[in-house]
Amino acid sequence: MLQYTYLLINFFTVIVCFIFSFHHKIKFNRHFKAFILASSIVALFFIVWDIWFTKIGVWWFNDKYLLGLRIVNLPIEEILFFICIPFSCIFTYFCLDKFFRLDWKPEMEKIFVIFSIVTLVILALYCNNRIYPFMTFLTTAISLFVLYFIFNARWIGKASFIYLILMPGFLGVNGILTGTGLDSPIVNYNPEHFLGIRILTIPIEDTVYGYEMILWNIFLFQKFKKKEQAIEETA
C-alpha cells in the first residue's frame, strides 16, 4: 500500500477541485483545454529542471512510496505533480477571481513586485554556492520582471495573495512529501544544496519554487482562455 502514497497525494490534491469544476456557477470545465495547454508548457520547463537536479543529486525520491514507473529517471508521480498541483491552484485562482474583487492598487502592486525582485536577487547572490536556492530565487526574480515589466501582467498582487491563501494546502501536501507524518521523506534533499531552513519538514525554497510555477501557469492559462473566448465570440 505504501507504494501508492505519492500517487494518492496527487489524487486527493486534485479530486475536489475537479468535481467542483463542473458546478453550474463555476464552469471551470469549459477551460480545461486552456489549463492543459498552459500547465503542459510550464510543466515541461520544471520537469527538465527536476531531471537535472535529480541527476546531480540535489534531491532524490524514496522508492518505498512510489509505483516504480519512471520517465527519464523521474517517478511518474513527480510528473503528475506538475499537473495536479497547478490544477488546484488555477481552479482556486479562477473561483476567487470570479466571485471577489482582489485586484491591488497599481502603486502597491508595483512596489511589491520591485521589492520582491530586489529581495530575490539579493538572496540569490547570497546563496550563490547553493544551487537550489540560487536557481529558485534568481529565476523567480527574472519571472517577476518579465511578467510585470515585459508582459504587463497586472494581477501579480492578486495572485500572490491567493497563493498565500493556498499556503496551508501547500504546506500540507509538501509536508507529507518531505516527511511529515511518514517514517521517511518521499522527496529527500541534499543538505549541501539548500539553505537548511525548513517550515516543519519543508525547505523554504519550495515555497518560492511553487510560487514561480503558479505565476507562469496563471499567465499562460489566461492567455489561452482569452483565445478560446475570442474564438467562441467569432463563431
Side-chain angles (χ1 to χ4, degrees), residues 59-211:
W59 54 54
W60 63 94
F61 304 92
N62 191 336
D63 289 334
K64 181 168 69 172
Y65 302 106
L66 306 172
L67 293 175
L69 301 174
R70 291 180 181 260
I71 299 175
V72 197
N73 208 33
L74 276 191
I76 189 68
E77 297 92 337
E78 178 75 354
I79 293 171
L80 290 173
F81 174 92
F82 294 110
I83 302 298
C84 294
I85 300 301
F87 184 90
S88 297
C89 292
I90 299 304
F91 172 79
T92 304
Y93 178 91
F94 178 85
C95 291
L96 292 177
D97 190 42
K98 185 180 181 75
F99 297 112
F100 301 96
R101 293 188 61 84
L102 299 174
D103 295 281
W104 288 24
K105 292 181 179 179
E107 299 81 7
M108 286 183 60
E109 185 173 54
K110 188 173 184 178
I111 291 170
F112 170 78
V113 170
I114 293 172
F115 176 80
S116 298
I117 291 171
V118 171
T119 302
L120 287 165
V121 169
I122 292 171
L123 287 171
L125 294 173
Y126 175 75
C127 302
N128 67 86
N129 61 335
R130 297 178 185 270
I131 192 168
Y132 184 27
F134 174 74
M135 282 288 297
T136 302
F137 297 149
L138 182 61
T139 58
T140 304
I142 293 170
S143 292
L144 283 170
F145 179 85
V146 170
L147 287 169
Y148 188 82
F149 291 104
I150 297 179
F151 291 146
N152 202 34
R154 293 299 180 264
W155 42 261
I156 288 177
K158 174 171 56 180
S160 301
F161 176 69
I162 292 173
Y163 186 68
L164 185 63
I165 292 173
L166 288 165
M167 192 55 61
F170 169 85
L171 295 177
V173 171
N174 240 43
I176 298 172
L177 290 176
T178 53
T180 301
L182 299 176
D183 293 333
S184 55
I186 297 173
V187 184
N188 297 269
Y189 295 81
N190 187 333
E192 295 181 359
H193 295 304
F194 77 107
L195 286 173
I197 302 171
R198 293 180 183 256
I199 304 171
L200 298 175
T201 55
I202 306 163
I204 193 71
E205 296 92 332
D206 280 7
T207 61
V208 182
Y209 179 91
Y211 177 62

Side-chain angles (χ1 to χ4, degrees), residues 40-68:
S40 297
I41 293 170
V42 179
L44 182 61
F45 171 81
F46 280 91
I47 287 169
V48 171
W49 181 344
D50 208 340
I51 291 168
W52 175 35
F53 272 24
T54 302
K55 183 177 181 179
I56 64 176
V58 175
W59 54 54
W60 63 94
F61 304 92
N62 191 336
D63 289 334
K64 181 168 69 172
Y65 302 106
L66 306 172
L67 293 175

Side-chain angles (χ1 to χ4, degrees), residues 34-43 46 82-83 85-87 89-90 93 147 155 210-224:
F35 167 76
I36 291 169
L37 289 171
S39 64
S40 297
I41 293 170
V42 179
F46 280 91
F82 294 110
I83 302 298
I85 300 301
F87 184 90
C89 292
I90 299 304
Y93 178 91
L147 287 169
W155 42 261
Y211 177 62
E212 181 181 15
M213 179 173 67
I214 296 310
L215 287 179
W216 281 110
N217 268 281
I218 292 172
F219 172 73
L220 289 174
F221 172 73
Q222 290 182 335
K223 287 289 184 184
F224 290 126

